[in-house]
Amino acid sequence: MDQRQQELAARIAGRRGAVRGPFRVWLHSPEMCERAESLGAFARFDCSLPKHLRELTLLMAARNWDAQYSWNAHVHQAIEAGIPEAAVKAVAEKREAVFDNEADQTFYQFCREILEVHFVADETFARALEHFGSKGLVDTIGALGNFTMLGMCLNTFQVDLQADKAPPFADIRGYGRVAADGDEPQP
């Protein structure tokens, strides 16, 4: 690494404990790495969303992009932060998740619509706006965008699948989708 890459690596390790996952890829472009790290730190640690919803956002984007590394790194953090295990399992299995808390259910629906349909229904938007305000919704979209970029990076550069962890998604093995008949992964 050149001096700029070393400085960034030291800063990342200081904040996150080590340089791992996507940062090992992003360091190839120090300017990209610095900006991605800054946005990622905001989305994970500093945005207006409560911790459990930041973690839910990460899991939803990870599942949307089949980003196993990201999922494995955060699934237990999401549960510890208050996301019900049944909801986590539903997200992993691409089923409808149910939350007891109306705000959490609205948040989930908002994220699900933008990830799956690419638009948010007016009614969903109005409910989400009532619960989270405009700042919360902007932060949500920023977090989803960041975690989407993360998933794309992890899959494209085939970042460590953590051999010591079970595959989190039944339809994904390695870096491909398992064929309907259970054959090898398909690109």
Side-chain angles (χ1 to χ4, degrees):
M1 289 191 285
D2 66 24
Q3 183 177 351
R4 177 80 171 114
Q5 291 167 315
Q6 290 174 20
E7 290 169 2
L8 283 168
R11 186 170 60 194
I12 291 164
R15 182 183 287 223
R16 297 171 183 269
V19 176
R20 55 184 166 257
F23 297 104
R24 292 175 33 211
V25 173
W26 287 330
L27 275 170
H28 289 275
S29 174
E31 293 76 19
M32 175 65 186
C33 183
E34 184 170 42
R35 287 165 176 84
E37 195 281 329
S38 179
L39 178 59
F42 175 77
R44 283 205 47 221
F45 307 116
D46 300 324
C47 79
S48 65
L49 301 172
K51 183 176 181 173
H52 73 289
L53 296 182
R54 293 190 310 258
E55 291 293 337
L56 177 60
T57 304
L58 194 146
L59 290 186
M60 291 182 74
R63 184 52 174 129
N64 187 68
W65 285 94
D66 302 321
Q68 299 169 88
Y69 179 97
S70 190
W71 180 277
N72 285 340
H74 287 273
V75 66
H76 296 295
Q77 291 179 40
I79 292 167
E80 289 172 10
I83 300 300
E85 287 187 48
V88 170
K89 186 175 181 180
V91 171
E93 295 172 356
K94 293 190 171 187
R95 293 184 293 104
E96 180 78 24
V98 177
F99 295 84
D100 293 333
N101 178 294
E102 181 187 338
D104 291 356
Q105 188 69 47
T106 298
F107 184 84
Y108 167 80
Q109 187 62 36
F110 179 87
C111 292
R112 188 172 187 195
E113 287 180 21
I114 197 64
L115 288 170
E116 293 179 8
V117 183
H118 307 156
F119 299 94
V120 177
D122 291 345
E123 179 182 323
T124 303
F125 184 88
R127 284 194 329 268
L129 185 62
E130 182 179 317
H131 286 292
F132 303 102
S134 57
K135 181 177 183 178
L137 296 187
V138 170
D139 286 355
T140 301
I141 296 303
L144 284 172
N146 174 74
F147 300 140
T148 291
M149 177 177 63
L150 174 66
M152 292 168 64
C153 174
L154 295 169
N155 288 350
T156 300
F157 292 95
Q158 298 186 357
V159 172
D160 181 18
L161 282 181
Q162 303 146 308
D164 61 328
K165 305 229 184 205
F169 314 128
D171 59 329
I172 303 296
R173 288 294 174 272
Y175 292 98
R177 194 161 309 283
V178 177
D181 60 7
D183 286 343
E184 292 298 311
Q186 304 296 311

